[in-house]
Amino acid sequence: MRSGEISPEDAASALGRGEIRYVGEFAALDAGRASRKGVPEVVYAPGKTPQQTAEICAALLPENGAPGRVIVSGADESLEVFLRERLPEAPVVRRGRSLVVGTGEPHPSGGRVAALSAGTSDLPVLEEAVAVAREMGVEVRGFNDVGVAGVHRLARPLEEVRKFDPDCVLVAAGMEGALPTLVCALVDVPVIGLPTSTGYGLGGDGTAAILGMLQTCSPGLTVVNVDNGVGAGASAAMIANQAARFRERPGKDSLGLRKPSATAPRSSE
């Protein structure tokens, strides 16, 4: 910066990508993750005391009333009440198993994600994934309770999905986890399978769902761990945001190189 090779703004951005904020002796927060890779740091609540969670949220929220949000994953109702009391200036909104704490709205990225749930019981996990994706600037269109037990329910939502033209599709399913395979066979974009711990007896803890998805015969299906809404939402949003950047640079690939014309003759080498 001193030599004039980069601007002060670029220097501040570069420093921010590696910023660590320490909270007491129990947390070292990756405050630069959002600027470094586009994924916000998410506070995983289970295993933390409500006080620790509140202090971490306070450290991540902007000062002086500036807009900014924190996602708290795996938050129960008692933690929600506690955060409302301890952080009175920060609105708290429930999104399935997660909470979005803070003000303002993320800047739209242009990315598009469709989100489908097999059953209503899968919604808390899917809504957590949707919260993460929306926090990353993605537009999300949701379609719920369209599982294979009544497979005809999928017909109209699938038409809407195609009209929406998403960059990626998120599909949450428990039980035997069949819906992601079916959807993946009918769309031409990447599908993220999100197995949930919904089901009966043996395998009902999500084991049957994840194994069924991993054994899919539909190419293009990627699977995250059981109930991993955060990972599913982040992956879908990263795909969508990269696609949006590509649309902003027509004729070039992700490295900025000129794409060969679709009609140009291919080399035999």
Side-chain angles (χ1 to χ4, degrees), residues 78-99:
S78 63
L79 177 59
E80 180 178 352
V81 172
F82 186 87
L83 291 179
R84 291 182 186 278
E85 294 175 349
R86 296 304 299 266
L87 303 171
E89 303 300 321
V92 178
V93 178
R94 178 160 290 279
R95 294 284 184 263
R97 303 187 317 157
S98 66
L99 303 173

Side-chain angles (χ1 to χ4, degrees), residues 60 141 146 185 206 245:
L60 289 171
R141 192 80 55 86
V146 294
R245 287 190 288 270

Side-chain angles (χ1 to χ4, degrees), residues 228-252:
N228 186 9
V230 171
S235 296
M238 291 177 76
I239 292 170
N241 287 340
Q242 180 66 11
R245 287 190 288 270
F246 184 84
R247 283 192 290 273
E248 294 174 357
R249 299 178 293 182
K252 294 185 179 181

Side-chain angles (χ1 to χ4, degrees), residues 202-214:
L202 183 64
D205 58 354
T207 302
I210 191 171
L211 290 178
M213 294 180 197
L214 289 172

Side-chain angles (χ1 to χ4, degrees), residues 251-268:
K252 294 185 179 181
D253 64 15
S254 60
L255 297 177
L257 303 176
R258 179 65 56 182
K259 293 194 302 180
S261 169
T263 58
R266 294 181 180 273
S267 171
S268 60

